[in-house]
Amino acid sequence: MTIKTVLTVTSPDLGEADLKLAATLCEEIEAHLAVLIVALAAPPPIGEYAAVVSDIWLQERQADLAKLKERSDAVSTWLASSRVSTDISSEYQEITWSDEAIGRRARYADITLLGPDMLSHDTLKEKVVEGALFHSGKPLLLIPDGATATLKPKRIMVAWDSRVEASQAVAQSLDLLTVAEEVRLVLVDPTEGEDAHGAEPGADMATFLARHGVKVTVDRLPSQGKAVASVLRQHAADMAAELLVMGAYGHSRLRQKIFGGVTSSMLGEPPIPILMAR
């Protein structure tokens, strides 16, 4: 995947930090920056009090639209001074359908970027994640606060579990992997067998990557009773990785919410920039 268009999502409640970050990354690789401004509409009133509060609800929606227009104008002015190619669009969406609207827009970008500001916006963050991962077919890039962001990482860690989601993440990050100086294919508690990692865990994917010219090393790590996410975090720190590539939601979203999982943990507290795909 050659990155030529980066989508970043913002809202009337957020500042310019994520936009500046996205613009810097686009300038680094000479890519186009697409900005989507999303305002989430309050659900319509129902029940016996609906008639009483309907006027207030309509006033709130009008105020939301005014804020969205004001934010769009401000972002347009800011983008006009940017040194990269840009475009801007906006959506006023009901919360229920906002992930699909975001996903439709993300189909026309190579990757969707979530910067530190969006990662702190719980409701909209969830909708952007779901839209990008479940409705666009494109990867998602998370950049936490304080991380050094680059789309030319020298050291990349790939979390490999032999699932289709991890395979998609590898395929969609291949251009980044081929130019990296070091790539670690990391397996936690891998199991041998035809239905798991094969006769030699990690060997098949390492061979695939090597054929593409990737400088890859396989690291098989024991969890020793720790959560897989904790093991991955520590290994990323140990190798000073600049990017973590991983598949998202190998288990259902419901199971992730109830029992937790690697995806939920990484979305909650990404240790370094993470490229997710499914």
Side-chain angles (χ1 to χ4, degrees), residues 12-224:
D13 302 322
L14 297 179
E16 313 302 331
D18 287 359
L19 297 178
K20 293 177 181 178
L21 174 61
T24 299
L25 291 177
C26 287
E27 188 174 354
E28 177 186 37
I29 60 171
E30 298 182 352
H32 178 84
L33 173 60
V35 178
L36 174 62
I37 306 174
V38 177
L40 298 178
I46 57 175
E48 59 182 306
Y49 297 107
V52 178
V53 300
S54 60
D55 286 344
I56 298 175
W57 174 70
L58 287 173
Q59 291 172 12
E60 288 178 350
R61 291 177 74 93
Q62 290 170 353
D64 287 344
L65 288 169
K67 286 177 63 178
L68 180 59
K69 176 64 166 57
E70 182 181 355
R71 174 67 168 153
S72 297
D73 291 344
V75 171
S76 295
T77 300
W78 185 87
L79 292 176
S81 64
S82 174
R83 291 182 289 185
V84 299
S85 169
T86 64
D87 71 76
I88 182 172
S89 56
S90 62
E91 291 274 358
Y92 186 55
Q93 282 286 336
E94 309 294 335
I95 294 177
T96 305
W97 313 114
S98 56
D99 56 334
E100 296 182 13
I102 293 167
R104 284 195 296 271
R105 186 65 188 86
R107 293 169 199 166
Y108 303 103
D110 296 299
I111 196 165
T112 298
L113 168 67
L114 267 74
D117 279 358
M118 182 57 71
L119 286 171
S120 67
H121 193 305
D122 290 339
T123 303
L124 187 53
K125 166 193 166 182
E126 180 179 348
K127 295 304 179 180
V128 175
V129 169
E130 292 181 357
L133 292 178
F134 291 92
H135 299 291
S136 78
K138 302 295 179 65
L140 181 68
L141 178 62
L142 313 173
I143 301 181
D145 189 27
T148 300
T150 178
L151 286 174
K152 294 182 178 180
K154 295 180 180 180
R155 290 178 301 280
I156 302 177
M157 182 174 127
V158 178
W160 180 247
D161 62 4
S162 79
R163 295 175 184 269
V164 65
E165 294 82 8
S167 179
Q168 287 289 342
V170 169
Q172 297 196 31
S173 63
L174 201 52
D175 280 1
L176 299 176
L177 297 173
T178 54
V179 297
E181 294 178 1
E182 178 185 7
V183 174
R184 299 283 190 92
L185 188 71
V186 179
L187 297 77
V188 180
D189 293 336
T191 55
E192 300 178 5
E194 187 175 325
D195 295 333
H197 287 275
E200 185 180 350
D204 291 337
M205 179 49 70
T207 300
F208 168 81
L209 290 171
R211 289 187 183 125
H212 283 275
V214 178
K215 304 175 186 69
V216 60
T217 302
V218 178
D219 294 339
R220 304 182 187 95
L221 307 177
S223 66
Q224 298 179 326

